[in-house]
Amino acid sequence: MYNPKKIEKKWQRYWEEQDLHQAKDFSRKPKKYILIEFPYPSGKGLHVGHCRPYVALDIVARKARMEKFNVLFPMGWDAFGLPTENYAIKTGIHPITVTKKNTAFFKRQQKSLGLSFDWNREINTTDPNYYKWTQWIFLQFFKKGLAYKKKIPINWCPSCKIGLANEEVIDGCCERCDAKVTKKEKEQWILKITKYAERLINGLDKVDYPERVKILEKDWIGRGEGYEVVFKFKSQTSESINIFTSRLDTIFGATYLVIAPEHPVLEKLRPQIKNFKSVEKYIEKTKGKLERERIAKTKEKVGIRLEGISAINPATGKEIPVFIADYVLMHYGTGAIMGVPAHDQRDFDFARAYNLPVIEVIKPYSQKGKLPKKAYLIVSNGRFKKAYEGEGILINSGRFNGMESGKACQRIGDFLVQKEIAKEAVHYKLRDWIFSRQRYWGEPIPLIFCENCAAEMRKRVSKIKGRKPNKGESLNPGWITVPEKDLPVKLPRVKKYKPTETGESPLAEIKHWVNTKCPKCGGSAKRETDTMPNWAGSNWYYLRYCDSKNDKKLASSKLLRKWMPVDWYNGGMEHTTLHLLYSRFVYKFLWDIGIVPKSVGPEPYKKRTSHGMILGEGCVKMSKSKGNIINPDDVIKEYGADTLRVYEMFMGPFEEAIAWNSKGVKGARRFLDKVWKLKDNVNQKSRIKNQGFKKLVHKTIKKVSDDIEHLKFNTAISCLMILVNEIEKQENIPLKYYSLFLTLLSPFAPHLSEEIWSELGHKKSIFLHKWPKYDPELIEEETFTLVIQINGKVRDKIETNINISEKKAKKLALSQQKIKNWIGRNKIKKTIFVPKKLINFVI
RNA sequence: GCCGCGGUGGCGGAAUUGGUUUACGCGCACGAUUCAAAAUCGUGUGGGUUUUACCCAUGUGGGUUCGACUCCCACCCGCGGCACCA
């Protein structure tokens, strides 16, 4: 009887004792770095959804080892984070204790799946020996002037008492606790990811990522090419304002300007604004609004006109009114736009509400008298129904009339640039990365604020007491870096884990920790009490695996050169715009400053794949409230880890979401039972005479090998099943073929394969055996089924020689009675012959 | 609205460059085994009809082609993401 409980533990222990999964730092074999996103060890334990990518990449790793690659397949814990902290707040248990418990739980579960991680390189982001380097990386950002502190309105979660990055706000609510997010002005550390925007886009051309991932990242970065154009205000003031547009061809149709309510120019214009009180009120009102609300799909476009202010359209020279409106955001473009009602729907709606003139400047290309589908229509009274946003031929645009949009953009651009009214510009949707959290369970930011040094810096003393300040210190007066020898800045013990009422981190209340000496002037100073977001630790973890125990460096250049880049990185689609983008940014920075050797290249991950979610039965998300959570422990208990592995790989295409089906699990177990039973029919001496069977074996080798590389585990298993069904039919199974089959099965069902392998008398582990190679000659077929079609419909099939000539095939086909009947007295107009496939008669 | 992915039996899903639609598994039915059940094994299993055979079937409607799940056009539905982005 196949009893997984008996054998699985045994082999897991054996593999560990034999150090079978250890990546070798000193080995001449070619390396393969296979990486799977490390989990956040929540208290709930492993989800069957976790298992899917784990098992998949475990299969890839096991196969690669059998192909004699030196495989690095590591695992660790992304353990800083809110759930643990919230648990600590609730229970008073220290997050360290909770993390220890959870990681032990996760690790036990992972091991019970038979995953072949190299546990020698295990890392934990909350380990001071690890976060020492997370802090060190932050210091490098700071020193290079890529970190700055700024008072900005941040997304504020009143429940978590924490600032959130835009990316963490979902539907105006906190990603984690779902509370409604408000705005709060807060000093925050910010990393200049926008400086890398261009390179983050360009780098995508060099890597093997799914197209949808590339598109998602590109859209997120949101590169917009266009022009910044200066609009002068009329006479009363010398002030002017820059607008950004990607459609300079429509500038002759710009009949008003809209400025974001936060725009600093408003303060300067104040004396001229006659209705400043109402304007101020509007600005106040905007402050209370969430960005989500401002840009929400509302019917009305509401703004307020700046009375007494008007601007000059530099193209037409005409005077146009100026508005502020909250739908224009300060952080995109220049915070101001030109309103072109005829050719932008938002502007059109706004113009209607305020009765502004609509001037048509682009005429759609006419195509054989037909207007493009989205063309505007002029109703009889001369009013537009909707804006035409497409390209076309310019009209009402002076000397540019008759030009096509694309050309016009350039020509008008050249013209305005020459007059120094415009310049080419590129803007991005991507925003700088807010890197502060006012929370406890994160890496302390290793900076110290010194009043004394700040004062000196303001007095423009370039040298503070003997040491030249770094770029970050000059940018952020008074903020002094903790010397690298003093890292890590350890997270101190606190009594209460909850942030203070004012929203400061609980660290702010530990006076003896906060109060320290300035590393520069030696005077009294205060530590930064903010901590880093939970992505800080996960942005560079794959580098640490290369050299996880190094206490001198983040990782040695030698080992980084050895293992990097990651050859294959699998993770969730949901991490595409957060973790994946951020970690590429951090990598590029570390590469720039020479921490990662130049020879490794500018991208950390050669290939990225994404797994699909596992849903509950009936295609709904698994959740406690629905009571449909499948615990992998239970499945292993009932059927064994190998069954769970085979089932999850067989259930459907790896990259697509799929629902759990408990009956399918049984099917997987049945398959393994069958494999188990077959071992009793193995005969050392028997030989296979059947050439067809040999062919099948070699075809299976090819298919399984190819399918694993392309994540097509479901079809790989299906052809293994076909082979087993065929083996079953043989009376005596030759040892050779059964062993061969086992090696193919072993990455999928490692315990069962190892057990049978040893029962068959093999002394060494099956995983030290070579991955089989197929014989290309053997998979060549000699015969094939010739499909005979009449007018494209299958009318008959006949088995024949693979190299049959067209002439012979035709003769053979026409000799079939069925075909004779079909053709009858009809004339054959045409014959199509596809070698090794079919012959088709057109009658 | 835009972007991406998808729509194939009762179900999960297979199907080189357009060339045998429904592999493999589940479920179901019948049979064997059993006192009986479970398990196991065997056989069958897209729908229809006038059943030695033919017709219809890959979301819908067109098109290209000797031939379309596959390519083109239009539309419908589902999932995911983004959304007054200038």
PDB file of all heavy atoms in Angstrom, chain A residues 245-246 295 301 346 651 670 837 840, chain B residues 12 19-20 24 26 66 84-86:
ATOM      1  N   THR A 245       1.310  70.025 -22.191  1.00  0.00           N
ATOM      2  CA  THR A 245       0.344  69.415 -23.101  1.00  0.00           C
ATOM      3  C   THR A 245       1.033  68.415 -24.015  1.00  0.00           C
ATOM      4  O   THR A 245       2.181  68.603 -24.400  1.00  0.00           O
ATOM      5  CB  THR A 245      -0.398  70.460 -23.950  1.00  0.00           C
ATOM      6  OG1 THR A 245      -1.316  69.783 -24.803  1.00  0.00           O
ATOM      7  CG2 THR A 245       0.550  71.288 -24.815  1.00  0.00           C
ATOM      8  N   SER A 246       0.297  67.368 -24.327  1.00  0.00           N
ATOM      9  CA  SER A 246       0.822  66.400 -25.290  1.00  0.00           C
ATOM     10  C   SER A 246       0.165  66.665 -26.646  1.00  0.00           C
ATOM     11  O   SER A 246       0.439  65.984 -27.610  1.00  0.00           O
ATOM     12  CB  SER A 246       0.531  64.976 -24.826  1.00  0.00           C
ATOM     13  OG  SER A 246      -0.858  64.797 -24.706  1.00  0.00           O
ATOM     14  N   ILE A 295     -10.702  63.242  -8.493  1.00  0.00           N
ATOM     15  CA  ILE A 295     -10.626  62.748  -9.859  1.00  0.00           C
ATOM     16  C   ILE A 295     -11.687  61.697 -10.160  1.00  0.00           C
ATOM     17  O   ILE A 295     -11.659  61.036 -11.176  1.00  0.00           O
ATOM     18  CB  ILE A 295      -9.213  62.193 -10.169  1.00  0.00           C
ATOM     19  CG1 ILE A 295      -8.869  61.062  -9.212  1.00  0.00           C
ATOM     20  CG2 ILE A 295      -8.175  63.289 -10.096  1.00  0.00           C
ATOM     21  CD1 ILE A 295      -7.530  60.446  -9.496  1.00  0.00           C
ATOM     22  N   LYS A 301     -17.993  69.331 -13.652  1.00  0.00           N
ATOM     23  CA  LYS A 301     -16.618  69.796 -13.488  1.00  0.00           C
ATOM     24  C   LYS A 301     -16.731  71.138 -12.788  1.00  0.00           C
ATOM     25  O   LYS A 301     -17.196  72.101 -13.371  1.00  0.00           O
ATOM     26  CB  LYS A 301     -15.961  69.990 -14.853  1.00  0.00           C
ATOM     27  CG  LYS A 301     -16.072  68.784 -15.733  1.00  0.00           C
ATOM     28  CD  LYS A 301     -14.955  67.819 -15.449  1.00  0.00           C
ATOM     29  CE  LYS A 301     -15.062  66.586 -16.296  1.00  0.00           C
ATOM     30  NZ  LYS A 301     -16.072  65.641 -15.810  1.00  0.00           N
ATOM     31  N   ARG A 346     -13.062  66.331 -21.117  1.00  0.00           N
ATOM     32  CA  ARG A 346     -13.147  66.987 -19.805  1.00  0.00           C
ATOM     33  C   ARG A 346     -13.252  68.489 -19.967  1.00  0.00           C
ATOM     34  O   ARG A 346     -14.057  69.153 -19.341  1.00  0.00           O
ATOM     35  CB  ARG A 346     -11.905  66.709 -18.958  1.00  0.00           C
ATOM     36  CG  ARG A 346     -11.733  65.314 -18.497  1.00  0.00           C
ATOM     37  CD  ARG A 346     -10.281  65.111 -18.138  1.00  0.00           C
ATOM     38  NE  ARG A 346      -9.424  65.652 -19.196  1.00  0.00           N
ATOM     39  CZ  ARG A 346      -8.273  66.247 -18.990  1.00  0.00           C
ATOM     40  NH1 ARG A 346      -7.821  66.410 -17.794  1.00  0.00           N
ATOM     41  NH2 ARG A 346      -7.575  66.698 -20.012  1.00  0.00           N
ATOM     42  N   MET A 651      -4.181  20.947 -12.075  1.00  0.00           N
ATOM     43  CA  MET A 651      -5.529  21.524 -12.064  1.00  0.00           C
ATOM     44  C   MET A 651      -5.826  22.473 -13.216  1.00  0.00           C
ATOM     45  O   MET A 651      -6.977  22.619 -13.609  1.00  0.00           O
ATOM     46  CB  MET A 651      -5.830  22.171 -10.706  1.00  0.00           C
ATOM     47  CG  MET A 651      -4.973  23.364 -10.355  1.00  0.00           C
ATOM     48  SD  MET A 651      -5.030  23.801  -8.584  1.00  0.00           S
ATOM     49  CE  MET A 651      -6.744  24.162  -8.303  1.00  0.00           C
ATOM     50  N   ARG A 670      -5.187   8.931  -7.169  1.00  0.00           N
ATOM     51  CA  ARG A 670      -5.387   7.694  -7.920  1.00  0.00           C
ATOM     52  C   ARG A 670      -4.221   7.431  -8.865  1.00  0.00           C
ATOM     53  O   ARG A 670      -3.765   6.305  -9.018  1.00  0.00           O
ATOM     54  CB  ARG A 670      -6.671   7.809  -8.751  1.00  0.00           C
ATOM     55  CG  ARG A 670      -7.771   6.923  -8.245  1.00  0.00           C
ATOM     56  CD  ARG A 670      -9.004   7.129  -9.082  1.00  0.00           C
ATOM     57  NE  ARG A 670     -10.090   7.630  -8.250  1.00  0.00           N
ATOM     58  CZ  ARG A 670     -11.186   8.203  -8.715  1.00  0.00           C
ATOM     59  NH1 ARG A 670     -11.336   8.393 -10.014  1.00  0.00           N
ATOM     60  NH2 ARG A 670     -12.123   8.581  -7.898  1.00  0.00           N
ATOM     61  N   LYS A 837       0.163  15.373 -42.920  1.00  0.00           N
ATOM     62  CA  LYS A 837      -1.090  15.854 -42.346  1.00  0.00           C
ATOM     63  C   LYS A 837      -2.305  15.321 -43.105  1.00  0.00           C
ATOM     64  O   LYS A 837      -2.984  14.442 -42.638  1.00  0.00           O
ATOM     65  CB  LYS A 837      -1.121  17.387 -42.367  1.00  0.00           C
ATOM     66  CG  LYS A 837      -0.271  18.030 -41.293  1.00  0.00           C
ATOM     67  CD  LYS A 837      -1.129  18.445 -40.118  1.00  0.00           C
ATOM     68  CE  LYS A 837      -0.318  18.527 -38.846  1.00  0.00           C
ATOM     69  NZ  LYS A 837       0.751  19.525 -38.853  1.00  0.00           N
ATOM     70  N   ASN A 840      -6.707  17.176 -49.317  1.00  0.00           N
ATOM     71  CA  ASN A 840      -8.040  17.756 -49.430  1.00  0.00           C
ATOM     72  C   ASN A 840      -8.419  17.893 -50.898  1.00  0.00           C
ATOM     73  O   ASN A 840      -7.673  18.448 -51.687  1.00  0.00           O
ATOM     74  CB  ASN A 840      -8.029  19.133 -48.734  1.00  0.00           C
ATOM     75  CG  ASN A 840      -9.408  19.781 -48.706  1.00  0.00           C
ATOM     76  OD1 ASN A 840     -10.424  19.107 -48.915  1.00  0.00           O
ATOM     77  ND2 ASN A 840      -9.438  21.076 -48.472  1.00  0.00           N
TER      78      ASN A 840
ATOM     79  P     G B  12     -15.594  24.487 -16.060  1.00  0.00           P
ATOM     80  OP1   G B  12     -15.611  25.906 -15.679  1.00  0.00           O
ATOM     81  OP2   G B  12     -15.821  24.095 -17.471  1.00  0.00           O
ATOM     82  O5'   G B  12     -14.231  23.842 -15.585  1.00  0.00           O
ATOM     83  C5'   G B  12     -13.778  24.051 -14.242  1.00  0.00           C
ATOM     84  C4'   G B  12     -12.402  23.468 -14.079  1.00  0.00           C
ATOM     85  O4'   G B  12     -12.460  22.023 -14.168  1.00  0.00           O
ATOM     86  C3'   G B  12     -11.402  23.843 -15.159  1.00  0.00           C
ATOM     87  O3'   G B  12     -10.884  25.140 -14.952  1.00  0.00           O
ATOM     88  C2'   G B  12     -10.360  22.746 -15.001  1.00  0.00           C
ATOM     89  O2'   G B  12      -9.551  22.980 -13.884  1.00  0.00           O
ATOM     90  C1'   G B  12     -11.256  21.527 -14.749  1.00  0.00           C
ATOM     91  N9    G B  12     -11.590  20.841 -16.002  1.00  0.00           N
ATOM     92  C8    G B  12     -12.690  21.060 -16.790  1.00  0.00           C
ATOM     93  N7    G B  12     -12.714  20.313 -17.865  1.00  0.00           N
ATOM     94  C5    G B  12     -11.553  19.551 -17.779  1.00  0.00           C
ATOM     95  C6    G B  12     -11.038  18.560 -18.659  1.00  0.00           C
ATOM     96  O6    G B  12     -11.517  18.156 -19.719  1.00  0.00           O
ATOM     97  N1    G B  12      -9.835  18.046 -18.195  1.00  0.00           N
ATOM     98  C2    G B  12      -9.208  18.431 -17.030  1.00  0.00           C
ATOM     99  N2    G B  12      -8.059  17.816 -16.748  1.00  0.00           N
ATOM    100  N3    G B  12      -9.682  19.347 -16.202  1.00  0.00           N
ATOM    101  C4    G B  12     -10.844  19.862 -16.629  1.00  0.00           C
ATOM    102  P     G B  19      -3.737  24.353 -37.291  1.00  0.00           P
ATOM    103  OP1   G B  19      -4.488  24.152 -36.036  1.00  0.00           O
ATOM    104  OP2   G B  19      -2.280  24.272 -37.325  1.00  0.00           O
ATOM    105  O5'   G B  19      -4.308  23.365 -38.380  1.00  0.00           O
ATOM    106  C5'   G B  19      -5.715  23.179 -38.502  1.00  0.00           C
ATOM    107  C4'   G B  19      -5.973  21.872 -39.202  1.00  0.00           C
ATOM    108  O4'   G B  19      -5.871  22.078 -40.638  1.00  0.00           O
ATOM    109  C3'   G B  19      -4.995  20.776 -38.850  1.00  0.00           C
ATOM    110  O3'   G B  19      -5.704  19.569 -38.737  1.00  0.00           O
ATOM    111  C2'   G B  19      -4.024  20.754 -40.036  1.00  0.00           C
ATOM    112  O2'   G B  19      -3.495  19.476 -40.265  1.00  0.00           O
ATOM    113  C1'   G B  19      -4.920  21.185 -41.189  1.00  0.00           C
ATOM    114  N9    G B  19      -4.279  21.915 -42.262  1.00  0.00           N
ATOM    115  C8    G B  19      -3.051  22.526 -42.292  1.00  0.00           C
ATOM    116  N7    G B  19      -2.809  23.121 -43.427  1.00  0.00           N
ATOM    117  C5    G B  19      -3.942  22.888 -44.198  1.00  0.00           C
ATOM    118  C6    G B  19      -4.270  23.296 -45.521  1.00  0.00           C
ATOM    119  O6    G B  19      -3.612  23.958 -46.291  1.00  0.00           O
ATOM    120  N1    G B  19      -5.529  22.852 -45.899  1.00  0.00           N
ATOM    121  C2    G B  19      -6.363  22.107 -45.103  1.00  0.00           C
ATOM    122  N2    G B  19      -7.528  21.774 -45.642  1.00  0.00           N
ATOM    123  N3    G B  19      -6.075  21.715 -43.873  1.00  0.00           N
ATOM    124  C4    G B  19      -4.859  22.142 -43.497  1.00  0.00           C
ATOM    125  P     U B  20      -6.391  19.192 -37.402  1.00  0.00           P
ATOM    126  OP1   U B  20      -7.460  20.153 -37.091  1.00  0.00           O
ATOM    127  OP2   U B  20      -5.346  18.879 -36.420  1.00  0.00           O
ATOM    128  O5'   U B  20      -7.059  17.835 -37.869  1.00  0.00           O
ATOM    129  C5'   U B  20      -8.123  17.840 -38.808  1.00  0.00           C
ATOM    130  C4'   U B  20      -9.060  16.715 -38.449  1.00  0.00           C
ATOM    131  O4'   U B  20      -8.316  15.476 -38.518  1.00  0.00           O
ATOM    132  C3'   U B  20      -9.612  16.803 -37.030  1.00  0.00           C
ATOM    133  O3'   U B  20     -10.959  16.358 -37.033  1.00  0.00           O
ATOM    134  C2'   U B  20      -8.736  15.838 -36.237  1.00  0.00           C
ATOM    135  O2'   U B  20      -9.411  15.253 -35.148  1.00  0.00           O
ATOM    136  C1'   U B  20      -8.420  14.788 -37.296  1.00  0.00           C
ATOM    137  N1    U B  20      -7.151  14.108 -37.044  1.00  0.00           N
ATOM    138  C2    U B  20      -7.215  12.774 -36.713  1.00  0.00           C
ATOM    139  O2    U B  20      -8.264  12.156 -36.633  1.00  0.00           O
ATOM    140  N3    U B  20      -6.004  12.189 -36.471  1.00  0.00           N
ATOM    141  C4    U B  20      -4.775  12.769 -36.532  1.00  0.00           C
ATOM    142  O4    U B  20      -3.770  12.112 -36.298  1.00  0.00           O
ATOM    143  C5    U B  20      -4.779  14.163 -36.884  1.00  0.00           C
ATOM    144  C6    U B  20      -5.949  14.766 -37.117  1.00  0.00           C
ATOM    145  P     C B  24      -7.074  10.314 -23.252  1.00  0.00           P
ATOM    146  OP1   C B  24      -6.432   8.994 -23.342  1.00  0.00           O
ATOM    147  OP2   C B  24      -8.547  10.426 -23.225  1.00  0.00           O
ATOM    148  O5'   C B  24      -6.515  11.080 -21.955  1.00  0.00           O
ATOM    149  C5'   C B  24      -5.147  10.985 -21.584  1.00  0.00           C
ATOM    150  C4'   C B  24      -4.893  11.860 -20.374  1.00  0.00           C
ATOM    151  O4'   C B  24      -5.032  13.258 -20.747  1.00  0.00           O
ATOM    152  C3'   C B  24      -5.902  11.694 -19.237  1.00  0.00           C
ATOM    153  O3'   C B  24      -5.601  10.587 -18.419  1.00  0.00           O
ATOM    154  C2'   C B  24      -5.740  13.021 -18.503  1.00  0.00           C
ATOM    155  O2'   C B  24      -4.546  13.067 -17.752  1.00  0.00           O
ATOM    156  C1'   C B  24      -5.622  13.990 -19.675  1.00  0.00           C
ATOM    157  N1    C B  24      -6.959  14.478 -20.110  1.00  0.00           N
ATOM    158  C2    C B  24      -7.545  15.538 -19.406  1.00  0.00           C
ATOM    159  O2    C B  24      -6.932  16.049 -18.449  1.00  0.00           O
ATOM    160  N3    C B  24      -8.764  15.997 -19.775  1.00  0.00           N
ATOM    161  C4    C B  24      -9.397  15.413 -20.813  1.00  0.00           C
ATOM    162  N4    C B  24     -10.604  15.887 -21.143  1.00  0.00           N
ATOM    163  C5    C B  24      -8.834  14.333 -21.534  1.00  0.00           C
ATOM    164  C6    C B  24      -7.617  13.893 -21.157  1.00  0.00           C
ATOM    165  P     C B  26      -9.931  10.480 -12.787  1.00  0.00           P
ATOM    166  OP1   C B  26      -9.607   9.688 -11.571  1.00  0.00           O
ATOM    167  OP2   C B  26     -10.391   9.811 -14.013  1.00  0.00           O
ATOM    168  O5'   C B  26     -11.024  11.585 -12.415  1.00  0.00           O
ATOM    169  C5'   C B  26     -10.845  12.414 -11.277  1.00  0.00           C
ATOM    170  C4'   C B  26     -11.905  13.478 -11.250  1.00  0.00           C
ATOM    171  O4'   C B  26     -11.891  14.208 -12.507  1.00  0.00           O
ATOM    172  C3'   C B  26     -13.342  12.978 -11.175  1.00  0.00           C
ATOM    173  O3'   C B  26     -13.694  12.588  -9.861  1.00  0.00           O
ATOM    174  C2'   C B  26     -14.089  14.221 -11.625  1.00  0.00           C
ATOM    175  O2'   C B  26     -14.134  15.199 -10.612  1.00  0.00           O
ATOM    176  C1'   C B  26     -13.195  14.713 -12.762  1.00  0.00           C
ATOM    177  N1    C B  26     -13.671  14.213 -14.073  1.00  0.00           N
ATOM    178  C2    C B  26     -14.827  14.793 -14.621  1.00  0.00           C
ATOM    179  O2    C B  26     -15.396  15.702 -13.984  1.00  0.00           O
ATOM    180  N3    C B  26     -15.299  14.356 -15.813  1.00  0.00           N
ATOM    181  C4    C B  26     -14.665  13.379 -16.455  1.00  0.00           C
ATOM    182  N4    C B  26     -15.174  12.985 -17.622  1.00  0.00           N
ATOM    183  C5    C B  26     -13.481  12.762 -15.925  1.00  0.00           C
ATOM    184  C6    C B  26     -13.027  13.206 -14.742  1.00  0.00           C
ATOM    185  P     C B  66      -9.431  29.422 -51.719  1.00  0.00           P
ATOM    186  OP1   C B  66      -8.447  29.080 -52.770  1.00  0.00           O
ATOM    187  OP2   C B  66     -10.587  30.318 -51.985  1.00  0.00           O
ATOM    188  O5'   C B  66      -9.998  28.062 -51.115  1.00  0.00           O
ATOM    189  C5'   C B  66     -10.949  27.295 -51.865  1.00  0.00           C
ATOM    190  C4'   C B  66     -11.101  25.947 -51.208  1.00  0.00           C
ATOM    191  O4'   C B  66      -9.877  25.178 -51.390  1.00  0.00           O
ATOM    192  C3'   C B  66     -11.274  25.980 -49.702  1.00  0.00           C
ATOM    193  O3'   C B  66     -12.632  26.202 -49.352  1.00  0.00           O
ATOM    194  C2'   C B  66     -10.792  24.595 -49.283  1.00  0.00           C
ATOM    195  O2'   C B  66     -11.761  23.608 -49.517  1.00  0.00           O
ATOM    196  C1'   C B  66      -9.624  24.386 -50.247  1.00  0.00           C
ATOM    197  N1    C B  66      -8.328  24.797 -49.682  1.00  0.00           N
ATOM    198  C2    C B  66      -7.734  23.999 -48.682  1.00  0.00           C
ATOM    199  O2    C B  66      -8.335  22.998 -48.287  1.00  0.00           O
ATOM    200  N3    C B  66      -6.537  24.354 -48.166  1.00  0.00           N
ATOM    201  C4    C B  66      -5.925  25.436 -48.625  1.00  0.00           C
ATOM    202  N4    C B  66      -4.739  25.739 -48.098  1.00  0.00           N
ATOM    203  C5    C B  66      -6.486  26.263 -49.628  1.00  0.00           C
ATOM    204  C6    C B  66      -7.673  25.906 -50.139  1.00  0.00           C
ATOM    205  P     C B  84      -9.534  60.080 -12.499  1.00  0.00           P
ATOM    206  OP1   C B  84      -9.096  60.675 -11.259  1.00  0.00           O
ATOM    207  OP2   C B  84     -10.788  59.309 -12.559  1.00  0.00           O
ATOM    208  O5'   C B  84      -9.481  61.193 -13.678  1.00  0.00           O
ATOM    209  C5'   C B  84      -9.549  60.789 -15.030  1.00  0.00           C
ATOM    210  C4'   C B  84     -10.170  61.949 -15.794  1.00  0.00           C
ATOM    211  O4'   C B  84     -11.295  62.415 -15.034  1.00  0.00           O
ATOM    212  C3'   C B  84      -9.211  63.115 -15.940  1.00  0.00           C
ATOM    213  O3'   C B  84      -8.890  63.319 -17.311  1.00  0.00           O
ATOM    214  C2'   C B  84      -9.982  64.315 -15.422  1.00  0.00           C
ATOM    215  O2'   C B  84      -9.996  65.358 -16.334  1.00  0.00           O
ATOM    216  C1'   C B  84     -11.413  63.777 -15.334  1.00  0.00           C
ATOM    217  N1    C B  84     -12.190  64.412 -14.292  1.00  0.00           N
ATOM    218  C2    C B  84     -13.304  65.156 -14.706  1.00  0.00           C
ATOM    219  O2    C B  84     -13.570  65.221 -15.913  1.00  0.00           O
ATOM    220  N3    C B  84     -14.045  65.763 -13.762  1.00  0.00           N
ATOM    221  C4    C B  84     -13.720  65.651 -12.486  1.00  0.00           C
ATOM    222  N4    C B  84     -14.484  66.269 -11.611  1.00  0.00           N
ATOM    223  C5    C B  84     -12.592  64.903 -12.047  1.00  0.00           C
ATOM    224  C6    C B  84     -11.861  64.305 -12.983  1.00  0.00           C
ATOM    225  P     C B  85      -8.164  62.225 -18.175  1.00  0.00           P
ATOM    226  OP1   C B  85      -8.337  62.707 -19.552  1.00  0.00           O
ATOM    227  OP2   C B  85      -8.461  60.841 -17.816  1.00  0.00           O
ATOM    228  O5'   C B  85      -6.662  62.519 -17.710  1.00  0.00           O
ATOM    229  C5'   C B  85      -5.925  63.586 -18.286  1.00  0.00           C
ATOM    230  C4'   C B  85      -4.463  63.208 -18.246  1.00  0.00           C
ATOM    231  O4'   C B  85      -4.015  63.340 -16.879  1.00  0.00           O
ATOM    232  C3'   C B  85      -4.229  61.758 -18.664  1.00  0.00           C
ATOM    233  O3'   C B  85      -3.576  61.635 -19.908  1.00  0.00           O
ATOM    234  C2'   C B  85      -3.603  61.054 -17.446  1.00  0.00           C
ATOM    235  O2'   C B  85      -2.415  60.387 -17.756  1.00  0.00           O
ATOM    236  C1'   C B  85      -3.355  62.185 -16.448  1.00  0.00           C
ATOM    237  N1    C B  85      -3.860  61.857 -15.117  1.00  0.00           N
ATOM    238  C2    C B  85      -2.954  61.485 -14.112  1.00  0.00           C
ATOM    239  O2    C B  85      -1.751  61.450 -14.387  1.00  0.00           O
ATOM    240  N3    C B  85      -3.418  61.191 -12.879  1.00  0.00           N
ATOM    241  C4    C B  85      -4.727  61.255 -12.633  1.00  0.00           C
ATOM    242  N4    C B  85      -5.136  60.957 -11.413  1.00  0.00           N
ATOM    243  C5    C B  85      -5.662  61.614 -13.635  1.00  0.00           C
ATOM    244  C6    C B  85      -5.181  61.904 -14.858  1.00  0.00           C
ATOM    245  P     A B  86      -2.404  62.193 -20.542  1.00  0.00           P
ATOM    246  OP1   A B  86      -2.084  61.533 -21.789  1.00  0.00           O
ATOM    247  OP2   A B  86      -1.422  62.333 -19.475  1.00  0.00           O
ATOM    248  O5'   A B  86      -2.953  63.625 -20.972  1.00  0.00           O
ATOM    249  C5'   A B  86      -2.024  64.619 -21.302  1.00  0.00           C
ATOM    250  C4'   A B  86      -2.749  65.917 -21.251  1.00  0.00           C
ATOM    251  O4'   A B  86      -3.504  65.978 -20.026  1.00  0.00           O
ATOM    252  C3'   A B  86      -1.861  67.142 -21.192  1.00  0.00           C
ATOM    253  O3'   A B  86      -1.403  67.523 -22.472  1.00  0.00           O
ATOM    254  C2'   A B  86      -2.781  68.158 -20.587  1.00  0.00           C
ATOM    255  O2'   A B  86      -3.676  68.655 -21.545  1.00  0.00           O
ATOM    256  C1'   A B  86      -3.539  67.320 -19.576  1.00  0.00           C
ATOM    257  N9    A B  86      -2.925  67.390 -18.244  1.00  0.00           N
ATOM    258  C8    A B  86      -1.602  67.530 -17.921  1.00  0.00           C
ATOM    259  N7    A B  86      -1.363  67.598 -16.635  1.00  0.00           N
ATOM    260  C5    A B  86      -2.619  67.487 -16.076  1.00  0.00           C
ATOM    261  C6    A B  86      -3.044  67.490 -14.754  1.00  0.00           C
ATOM    262  N6    A B  86      -2.235  67.623 -13.708  1.00  0.00           N
ATOM    263  N1    A B  86      -4.358  67.370 -14.508  1.00  0.00           N
ATOM    264  C2    A B  86      -5.188  67.258 -15.549  1.00  0.00           C
ATOM    265  N3    A B  86      -4.900  67.235 -16.850  1.00  0.00           N
ATOM    266  C4    A B  86      -3.583  67.361 -17.055  1.00  0.00           C
TER     267        A B  86
END
